[in-house]
Amino acid sequence: MIKKNPSFKRIALMGRHDRDPIQETLIALHEFLTLRNCPVVYDHETASRLPFKINSVSIEMLAQHCDLLIVVGGDGSLLQAAKIAVAQSLPVLGVNRGRLGFLTDIYPHELATIEAVLNGEYQAENRFLLQCHVYREDHVIASIDAVNEIVLSPDSIAHMIEFEVMVNKRFVCDLRADGLIIATPTGSTAYALSGGGPIVEPSLNAIVLVPMFPHTLTNRPLVIDANAHLTIHITSHNDIIPFISGDGQKCMSIERSDRLILQKHASPLKLIHPQTYDYFETLRSKLNWQSRHRNC
Amino acid sequence: MIKKNPSFKRIALMGRHDRDPIQETLIALHEFLTLRNCPVVYDHETASRLPFKINSVSIEMLAQHCDLLIVVGGDGSLLQAAKIAVAQSLPVLGVNRGRLGFLTDIYPHELATIEAVLNGEYQAENRFLLQCHVYREDHVIASIDAVNEIVLSPDSIAHMIEFEVMVNKRFVCDLRADGLIIATPTGSTAYALSGGGPIVEPSLNAIVLVPMFPHTLTNRPLVIDANAHLTIHITSHNDIIPFISGDGQKCMSIERSDRLILQKHASPLKLIHPQTYDYFETLRSKLNWQSRHRNC
Amino acid sequence: MIKKNPSFKRIALMGRHDRDPIQETLIALHEFLTLRNCPVVYDHETASRLPFKINSVSIEMLAQHCDLLIVVGGDGSLLQAAKIAVAQSLPVLGVNRGRLGFLTDIYPHELATIEAVLNGEYQAENRFLLQCHVYREDHVIASIDAVNEIVLSPDSIAHMIEFEVMVNKRFVCDLRADGLIIATPTGSTAYALSGGGPIVEPSLNAIVLVPMFPHTLTNRPLVIDANAHLTIHITSHNDIIPFISGDGQKCMSIERSDRLILQKHASPLKLIHPQTYDYFETLRSKLNWQSRHRNC
Amino acid sequence: MIKKNPSFKRIALMGRHDRDPIQETLIALHEFLTLRNCPVVYDHETASRLPFKINSVSIEMLAQHCDLLIVVGGDGSLLQAAKIAVAQSLPVLGVNRGRLGFLTDIYPHELATIEAVLNGEYQAENRFLLQCHVYREDHVIASIDAVNEIVLSPDSIAHMIEFEVMVNKRFVCDLRADGLIIATPTGSTAYALSGGGPIVEPSLNAIVLVPMFPHTLTNRPLVIDANAHLTIHITSHNDIIPFISGDGQKCMSIERSDRLILQKHASPLKLIHPQTYDYFETLRSKLNWQSRHRNC
């Protein structure tokens, strides 16, 4: 079921690390694309790391100069690039130097595969993001986007936050826990999985709530409709200052009585995969499903 | 947000146990409905257990004689009645003698609440069922419906079946496990919950696959779209004869090379709740979410 | 099997909160003991909170003035008092104002039970503590004791520490996780239980290692002999500064290359229970084992 | 820390399968031992499968003819051989044709390692077994031994047994569950691990109780002293006939009101390992602890 999609004409290359393999791959891709007469554009930061001088553009202007963003690095690099791409409706292709990831599914030596993608032989997949607005009294004081998950965590050690969870303004429960992971299907194989959450097929319009070390053992992971509005209200008698993070990046401290309102982000991430991509194959590989872990 | 729905004019009463409390409640409801001049109809089996003589109809004909089926008993009784009701598009109200259940949410003494429901003050909710077709070679040899879950289990002790799971004809994994639970959101708080599955909001169009005692520890619960076709293929080298069950009722033995195709049932169960019904309140109550299980 | 033990002649009363119920109970116990002509002693801090003037002693000198320490408060108060008591080989009885705890099993109104305990009708139980030495290069720079658990946690958000675990100098594994809980049997029903650890009978000479949100899903809780030496080596390439805590109290930051050596504390906590105490009854009550959480 | 132990002079070879690789290995070991002038003895069943004629002895008489039993096959073969060996106090060495197991840790081509073992360069390790006596009224009607675990299971589908658990005649809890796994430390990495039990170091004198799909979610795995007497009482109102199995072999049906008394077997299994054996290395390898299962 090979489908022919629009081809990609102008490419942005992005790499977020100084590590040699990333640099090597950027240079190899640069040469490959230039040989094909394909225009290549860089953001200032990536350009500054290259060993040659090249013009670059502001990261917010990438979409005006390209129709595909190729990110060189692991899943972490792709998560960072995703937010920039989503804001500009730019599709993203991940090229991984190490072991393939959940989000990056091409090796840099697979130039034939990359060429095929550029020629329109690819799968395009939308992954939704979460958006979290932080309300203090009646004002939004911050907004956080996440491809994988939003996490409410305690400050340092004091491992217990009390908060109230509501779905579409209906009270769900009071939670006493180390925190709460709110994950997209994409994030269901990331931090939420370590916390006991289920694997959620990426196409499902659902989000997973995983209480972290809850005081009440029956506070199990909960899967709800991704169109729901989720409210988390930090109750006023907490004596610690929790904070929230998005995709593993610490964002801000939350005060008592603050409210978090989470909902699906209006714009999705457009992930580009080679034609051979298979989500379940990635699961089988990353989770060692071919192994038999126990005896007898 | 009290909505006025169509009222119910003719009621079928059903009870599946000889136990005194069930009989008492049936008689009390009979008197209550008769006093209101509301026609009451019984299936033959329920009628045969009543201490008075009364006309009854075949269970397959209930819908021709009533517009609401009231089931007296626990969640188990409601599960049985549900299949009859679904086939006839008959809405179902559960009246519970013991502790309230996940599916039965009125106590028999709450006659005012029952009266309100009959008058159109209720919430109507659709819950989807699973349908499982068993293919031997190319023929469907059996079909099983379930409100909660379909379970593939080993015969007696030999605790290991090998089977292949496919979603929409895409290979997911080979599983070596005691079995597999395939649960609806309704069933996510039943057997699947004991097996480590997540709680899934009833309105979500999703099904949960919970491997039972898998050999590979990373074979975690998987949530997929309920519109998917799920295929389970019993591989040919199993030396045991597994069987399938629906909602806890043993159904049939599966032979090597048989295929199970599961999908959403075409007709939903129409559950009737009082206006005060709140799914999350049921969760909080059944799962003791107010308790704090651990010290410190 | 009521055994007659030595009676208690001189009592220390301790309460760590200003909350009214704690104060009321301290005063009631004071009166009760004084009426019985039983000498009562206070540490300076407890005495300072009482509404009457009374002589008090340094907390390190309690054992010279009493043969039983009665702690008024919840499990948290008892954990704090335990360390003082262990250092002085002083037995401890917990009197709880709220719901009974895992460690405090007398209500303040049960004066007859308290009297029976003083008269020698009690169960004495030893619970072992963990001791953690922090080595920097070759020096012990800190020691931490814990009745429940020692926890290695990341600083704030960066949820991933890399460390090496060794048992009796044998390499167990490299862990990439949010942290590690090392719990005594007493602590197995506390934080470790929320993290997926098993319940360990208090009399068992074992400790439980519970990896927190491990990257590798098969890093499951591990139960080892409590006489083992457990070494945790923070590998040198961590870019965060983890810290350790004992019984929920933050203790200190750990630097890269530090080693933690954990072993059983030389002195146990002597817990005094009334004759009617039953560990399994506590479990049944705290964990709601009489409830049935799921439907069908 | 290479220790020199007594050497082994006379060897019994056992293989329980007709599969070619097992036969090849038996023949290769036969030749290897014969060349060394080491007497080899066979039980009748193993001998009957060999392609050459050879004298054999009754399986119950092996210990009179040898001082080491070498089992060729996987963990399953070793479990079967273990019971024969334990009855005769015969040490056991496992040689595995496939992937190494938890119990079999030599490959057949490692003849130098086998030679070293015979010469006394080995680790000897005692693993305790469980013994389960089935009482009907006041009589023992059956006894079952197990190296890994004793399992109480329902007959076929009816997934719910009610039973009472007591430790040293103290009531622990009433359980409503699919069954109960009672595992030794050796068995903690087998069936019990799939059921959510912890990994228990083999040297720990403890047993693990893992409730299978319990109705009450807080019925978590419980670790108790292996010297305890564990009683399981099948309550009289069960309408199904559960059965017990040992090490995956179905043993017998249990009637209502039967009692199971489990305790440590008087005689241990003497496992022989090569000097290089390392329990934690086995864990790391079997459980893929080097993998990183999740993204980010």
Side-chain angles (χ1 to χ4, degrees):
Chain A
M1 47 172 185
I2 293 196
K3 283 178 293 181
K4 187 77 177 183
N5 299 294
S7 61
F8 296 114
K9 310 277 188 224
R10 299 172 305 162
I11 310 298
L13 285 179
M14 185 181 288
R16 276 289 166 268
H17 284 286
D18 276 325
R19 288 186 296 120
D20 281 355
I22 306 282
Q23 292 306 310
E24 279 168 28
T25 299
L26 284 172
I27 296 166
L29 285 175
H30 181 94
E31 286 171 6
F32 167 73
L33 293 168
T34 307
L35 261 166
R36 287 178 84 256
N37 293 318
C38 175
V40 182
V41 65
Y42 294 92
D43 62 279
H44 298 321
E45 189 183 334
T46 302
S48 73
R49 288 183 172 135
L50 291 174
F52 46 81
K53 253 208 139 66
I54 192 149
N55 285 335
S56 57
V57 303
S58 151
I59 205 157
E60 292 81 14
M61 305 293 281
L62 280 177
Q64 305 202 355
H65 300 274
C66 73
D67 45 20
L68 176 69
L69 172 59
I70 296 183
V71 180
V72 178
D75 282 350
S77 297
L78 200 133
L79 286 177
Q80 286 175 44
K83 276 144 226 168
I84 297 154
V86 164
Q88 305 177 50
S89 296
L90 203 50
V92 177
L93 174 73
V95 173
N96 201 341
R97 281 299 309 223
R99 199 182 163 204
L100 292 186
F102 276 97
L103 296 171
T104 56
D105 37 36
I106 294 187
Y107 284 114
H109 62 266
E110 298 175 299
L111 292 178
T113 305
I114 294 173
E115 175 138 37
V117 166
L118 299 185
N119 287 336
E121 290 166 21
Y122 58 83
Q123 302 177 45
E125 185 193 26
N126 278 356
R127 299 279 182 102
F128 75 81
L129 279 74
L130 279 175
Q131 186 156 57
C132 174
H133 294 301
V134 182
Y135 282 80
R136 186 156 301 160
E137 283 150 14
D138 288 333
H139 305 286
V140 174
I141 58 163
S143 292
I144 299 155
D145 296 344
V147 175
N148 271 345
E149 75 279 296
I150 300 282
V151 179
L152 176 73
S153 310
D155 62 337
S156 71
I157 184 234
H159 44 248
M160 220 272 297
I161 316 174
E162 288 194 56
F163 51 97
E164 187 185 76
V165 178
M166 277 170 292
V167 170
N168 292 329
K169 298 192 177 163
R170 283 189 301 154
F171 173 58
V172 175
C173 62
D174 284 315
L175 265 174
R176 285 162 58 98
D178 271 21
L180 182 67
I181 304 168
I182 304 109
T184 63
T186 301
S188 73
T189 51
Y191 195 46
L193 190 62
S194 290
I199 298 166
V200 180
E201 207 190 11
S203 63
L204 195 70
N205 190 41
I207 59 177
V208 189
L209 280 64
V210 180
M212 299 163 73
F213 296 85
H215 266 236
T216 303
L217 298 183
T218 54
N219 278 133
R220 294 272 294 269
L222 176 65
V223 185
I224 64 171
D225 195 297
N227 291 334
H229 280 230
L230 178 69
T231 308
I232 295 166
H233 180 209
I234 312 302
T235 46
S236 57
H237 54 287
N238 278 285
D239 47 354
I240 60 162
I241 299 173
F243 60 86
I244 46 169
S245 56
D247 292 341
Q249 303 301 309
K250 183 170 182 169
C251 293
M252 62 174 292
S253 289
I254 302 299
E255 295 192 359
R256 268 156 256 161
S257 304
D258 282 356
R259 282 168 196 275
L260 313 178
I261 313 270
L262 289 99
Q263 60 193 97
K264 210 170 149 172
H265 195 288
S267 308
L269 169 64
K270 296 181 189 175
L271 261 189
I272 302 300
H273 304 289
Q275 287 290 8
T276 54
Y277 169 77
D278 176 357
Y279 173 71
F280 292 119
E281 164 58 28
T282 307
L283 279 188
R284 290 191 299 271
S285 159
K286 299 289 287 182
L287 298 178
N288 293 111
W289 278 357
Q290 81 296 348
S291 293
R292 290 167 187 180
H293 290 139
R294 69 172 218 234
N295 55 337
C296 304
Chain B
M1 47 174 187
I2 293 198
K3 283 178 294 182
K4 187 78 177 183
N5 299 293
S7 62
F8 296 113
K9 308 278 186 226
R10 298 172 305 162
I11 310 299
L13 285 179
M14 185 182 289
R16 277 287 167 271
H17 284 286
D18 276 325
R19 288 187 296 120
D20 282 354
I22 305 283
Q23 293 304 312
E24 279 168 28
T25 298
L26 284 173
I27 295 165
L29 286 175
H30 180 95
E31 285 171 7
F32 167 71
L33 292 168
T34 307
L35 261 167
R36 287 178 86 257
N37 292 319
C38 175
V40 182
V41 64
Y42 293 91
D43 62 278
H44 298 321
E45 189 184 334
T46 301
S48 72
R49 288 184 172 134
L50 291 174
F52 46 79
K53 251 206 140 69
I54 194 151
N55 283 337
S56 58
V57 302
S58 150
I59 205 157
E60 293 82 13
M61 306 292 280
L62 280 176
Q64 304 202 353
H65 299 274
C66 72
D67 46 19
L68 176 68
L69 172 59
I70 297 183
V71 180
V72 178
D75 282 351
S77 297
L78 201 133
L79 286 178
Q80 286 176 45
K83 276 144 225 168
I84 297 155
V86 165
Q88 305 178 49
S89 296
L90 203 51
V92 177
L93 175 72
V95 173
N96 201 341
R97 281 299 310 224
R99 200 181 162 203
L100 292 187
F102 276 97
L103 296 172
T104 56
D105 37 36
I106 294 186
Y107 285 114
H109 63 265
E110 298 175 301
L111 291 178
T113 306
I114 294 172
E115 176 137 36
V117 166
L118 298 185
N119 287 336
E121 288 166 23
Y122 58 85
Q123 303 177 45
E125 185 194 24
N126 279 356
R127 300 278 182 103
F128 74 82
L129 280 73
L130 279 175
Q131 186 157 59
C132 174
H133 293 301
V134 182
Y135 283 79
R136 185 155 300 158
E137 283 151 16
D138 288 334
H139 305 287
V140 174
I141 58 164
S143 292
I144 299 157
D145 296 345
V147 174
N148 271 346
E149 75 280 296
I150 300 281
V151 179
L152 176 73
S153 309
D155 61 338
S156 71
I157 183 235
H159 46 247
M160 220 273 297
I161 316 175
E162 289 194 57
F163 51 96
E164 189 185 75
V165 178
M166 278 169 291
V167 170
N168 292 330
K169 301 195 177 160
R170 283 190 302 153
F171 173 59
V172 175
C173 63
D174 285 314
L175 265 174
R176 286 161 56 99
D178 273 20
L180 183 68
I181 303 169
I182 304 110
T184 63
T186 301
S188 73
T189 51
Y191 196 47
L193 191 61
S194 290
I199 298 166
V200 180
E201 206 190 9
S203 64
L204 194 70
N205 190 41
I207 60 177
V208 189
L209 280 65
V210 180
M212 301 163 72
F213 296 86
H215 266 237
T216 303
L217 297 182
T218 53
N219 279 132
R220 293 273 293 268
L222 176 65
V223 185
I224 63 171
D225 195 297
N227 291 334
H229 280 231
L230 178 70
T231 308
I232 295 165
H233 180 208
I234 312 302
T235 46
S236 57
H237 55 286
N238 278 284
D239 47 355
I240 59 161
I241 300 174
F243 60 86
I244 46 170
S245 55
D247 291 340
Q249 304 300 309
K250 183 171 181 170
C251 292
M252 61 175 292
S253 290
I254 302 300
E255 295 191 1
R256 269 157 254 160
S257 303
D258 282 355
R259 279 169 197 278
L260 313 178
I261 313 270
L262 289 99
Q263 60 193 96
K264 210 171 150 172
H265 195 288
S267 309
L269 169 65
K270 296 182 188 173
L271 261 188
I272 302 300
H273 304 289
Q275 287 289 8
T276 54
Y277 168 78
D278 176 356
Y279 172 71
F280 292 119
E281 164 58 29
T282 306
L283 279 189
R284 291 191 298 271
S285 158
K286 299 288 288 181
L287 298 178
N288 293 110
W289 278 355
Q290 81 295 348
S291 292
R292 290 165 188 183
H293 290 139
R294 68 173 219 234
N295 54 336
C296 304
Chain C
M1 47 172 186
I2 293 197
K3 283 178 293 182
K4 188 77 178 183
N5 299 293
S7 61
F8 296 113
K9 309 276 187 228
R10 299 173 306 162
I11 310 298
L13 284 179
M14 184 182 289
R16 277 287 166 270
H17 284 286
D18 275 326
R19 288 187 295 120
D20 282 355
I22 305 282
Q23 292 306 311
E24 280 168 27
T25 299
L26 284 172
I27 295 166
L29 285 175
H30 180 94
E31 286 171 7
F32 167 72
L33 292 168
T34 307
L35 261 165
R36 286 178 85 256
N37 292 319
C38 174
V40 182
V41 65
Y42 294 92
D43 62 279
H44 297 322
E45 189 184 334
T46 302
S48 73
R49 290 186 172 133
L50 291 174
F52 47 79
K53 251 206 142 65
I54 193 149
N55 284 337
S56 58
V57 302
S58 151
I59 205 157
E60 293 80 14
M61 305 293 280
L62 280 176
Q64 304 202 355
H65 299 275
C66 73
D67 45 20
L68 176 69
L69 173 59
I70 295 183
V71 180
V72 178
D75 282 350
S77 297
L78 201 134
L79 287 177
Q80 285 176 46
K83 275 144 226 170
I84 299 154
V86 164
Q88 304 179 50
S89 296
L90 203 51
V92 176
L93 175 72
V95 173
N96 201 342
R97 281 299 308 223
R99 200 182 162 203
L100 292 187
F102 276 97
L103 296 172
T104 56
D105 36 37
I106 294 187
Y107 284 115
H109 62 265
E110 298 175 301
L111 292 178
T113 305
I114 294 172
E115 175 138 38
V117 166
L118 300 184
N119 288 336
E121 289 167 22
Y122 58 83
Q123 302 177 45
E125 185 194 24
N126 279 357
R127 298 278 182 103
F128 74 83
L129 280 73
L130 279 175
Q131 187 157 58
C132 174
H133 294 301
V134 183
Y135 282 79
R136 187 156 298 161
E137 281 150 17
D138 289 333
H139 305 287
V140 174
I141 59 163
S143 292
I144 299 156
D145 297 344
V147 174
N148 271 346
E149 75 279 295
I150 300 281
V151 179
L152 176 73
S153 310
D155 62 337
S156 72
I157 182 232
H159 45 249
M160 221 272 298
I161 317 173
E162 289 194 56
F163 50 97
E164 187 185 76
V165 178
M166 277 170 290
V167 170
N168 292 328
K169 300 193 177 161
R170 284 189 302 153
F171 173 58
V172 175
C173 62
D174 284 315
L175 264 174
R176 285 162 57 99
D178 272 20
L180 182 68
I181 304 168
I182 304 110
T184 63
T186 301
S188 73
T189 50
Y191 196 46
L193 191 61
S194 290
I199 299 165
V200 180
E201 207 191 10
S203 63
L204 195 70
N205 190 42
I207 60 177
V208 189
L209 280 65
V210 180
M212 299 164 73
F213 295 86
H215 266 236
T216 303
L217 298 183
T218 53
N219 278 133
R220 293 272 294 268
L222 176 64
V223 186
I224 64 172
D225 194 297
N227 291 334
H229 280 229
L230 178 69
T231 307
I232 295 165
H233 180 208
I234 312 302
T235 47
S236 57
H237 55 286
N238 278 285
D239 47 353
I240 59 162
I241 300 173
F243 61 85
I244 46 170
S245 55
D247 291 340
Q249 302 301 309
K250 184 171 181 168
C251 293
M252 63 175 291
S253 289
I254 302 300
E255 295 192 359
R256 268 156 256 162
S257 304
D258 282 356
R259 282 169 197 277
L260 313 177
I261 312 270
L262 290 99
Q263 60 194 98
K264 211 171 149 171
H265 194 288
S267 308
L269 169 64
K270 296 182 189 174
L271 262 188
I272 301 299
H273 304 290
Q275 286 291 9
T276 53
Y277 169 78
D278 176 356
Y279 172 71
F280 292 118
E281 164 58 29
T282 306
L283 279 189
R284 290 190 299 270
S285 157
K286 299 288 286 181
L287 297 178
N288 293 111
W289 278 355
Q290 81 296 348
S291 293
R292 289 164 189 184
H293 291 138
R294 71 171 216 236
N295 54 336
C296 304
Chain D
M1 49 173 186
I2 292 196
K3 283 177 294 181
K4 187 77 177 183
N5 299 294
S7 62
F8 296 113
K9 308 278 188 225
R10 298 173 307 162
I11 310 299
L13 285 179
M14 185 182 289
R16 276 287 166 270
H17 284 286
D18 276 325
R19 289 187 296 119
D20 281 355
I22 305 282
Q23 292 305 313
E24 279 167 27
T25 299
L26 284 172
I27 295 166
L29 286 175
H30 181 93
E31 285 171 7
F32 167 72
L33 293 168
T34 306
L35 261 167
R36 289 178 84 254
N37 292 320
C38 175
V40 182
V41 65
Y42 293 92
D43 63 279
H44 298 321
E45 190 184 333
T46 302
S48 73
R49 288 184 172 136
L50 292 174
F52 46 78
K53 253 207 137 68
I54 194 151
N55 283 336
S56 58
V57 302
S58 151
I59 205 157
E60 292 82 14
M61 305 293 281
L62 281 175
Q64 305 203 353
H65 299 274
C66 72
D67 45 20
L68 176 68
L69 172 59
I70 296 183
V71 180
V72 178
D75 282 351
S77 298
L78 201 134
L79 287 177
Q80 286 175 45
K83 276 146 225 167
I84 297 154
V86 164
Q88 306 178 49
S89 296
L90 202 51
V92 176
L93 175 72
V95 173
N96 201 341
R97 280 299 311 223
R99 201 182 162 203
L100 292 187
F102 276 97
L103 296 172
T104 55
D105 37 35
I106 295 186
Y107 284 114
H109 61 266
E110 298 175 301
L111 291 178
T113 305
I114 295 173
E115 176 138 36
V117 166
L118 299 186
N119 288 336
E121 288 167 21
Y122 58 84
Q123 302 178 45
E125 185 194 25
N126 279 356
R127 299 278 181 102
F128 74 81
L129 280 73
L130 280 175
Q131 187 157 60
C132 173
H133 294 301
V134 183
Y135 282 79
R136 186 154 300 158
E137 282 151 15
D138 288 334
H139 306 287
V140 174
I141 59 164
S143 293
I144 299 156
D145 296 345
V147 174
N148 271 345
E149 75 280 296
I150 300 281
V151 178
L152 176 73
S153 309
D155 62 337
S156 71
I157 184 232
H159 46 248
M160 219 273 296
I161 317 175
E162 288 195 57
F163 51 96
E164 189 186 75
V165 178
M166 279 169 290
V167 169
N168 292 329
K169 299 193 177 162
R170 282 190 302 153
F171 173 59
V172 175
C173 63
D174 283 315
L175 265 174
R176 286 161 57 97
D178 272 20
L180 182 68
I181 303 168
I182 304 109
T184 63
T186 301
S188 73
T189 50
Y191 196 47
L193 190 61
S194 291
I199 299 166
V200 180
E201 206 190 10
S203 63
L204 195 70
N205 191 41
I207 60 177
V208 189
L209 279 64
V210 180
M212 300 163 72
F213 295 86
H215 265 236
T216 303
L217 298 182
T218 54
N219 278 133
R220 293 272 294 268
L222 177 65
V223 185
I224 64 171
D225 194 297
N227 291 334
H229 280 230
L230 178 70
T231 307
I232 295 166
H233 180 207
I234 312 302
T235 46
S236 56
H237 55 286
N238 279 283
D239 47 354
I240 59 161
I241 300 174
F243 60 85
I244 45 170
S245 55
D247 291 342
Q249 303 300 310
K250 182 170 181 170
C251 292
M252 62 175 292
S253 290
I254 302 300
E255 295 192 0
R256 268 156 255 160
S257 303
D258 282 355
R259 280 168 197 277
L260 313 178
I261 312 272
L262 289 99
Q263 60 193 97
K264 210 171 151 173
H265 195 289
S267 309
L269 168 66
K270 295 181 189 175
L271 262 188
I272 302 300
H273 303 291
Q275 287 290 8
T276 54
Y277 168 79
D278 176 355
Y279 172 72
F280 293 119
E281 164 58 29
T282 306
L283 279 188
R284 291 191 298 271
S285 159
K286 299 288 289 181
L287 298 178
N288 292 110
W289 279 356
Q290 82 294 348
S291 293
R292 289 165 187 181
H293 290 140
R294 69 172 217 235
N295 53 336
C296 303

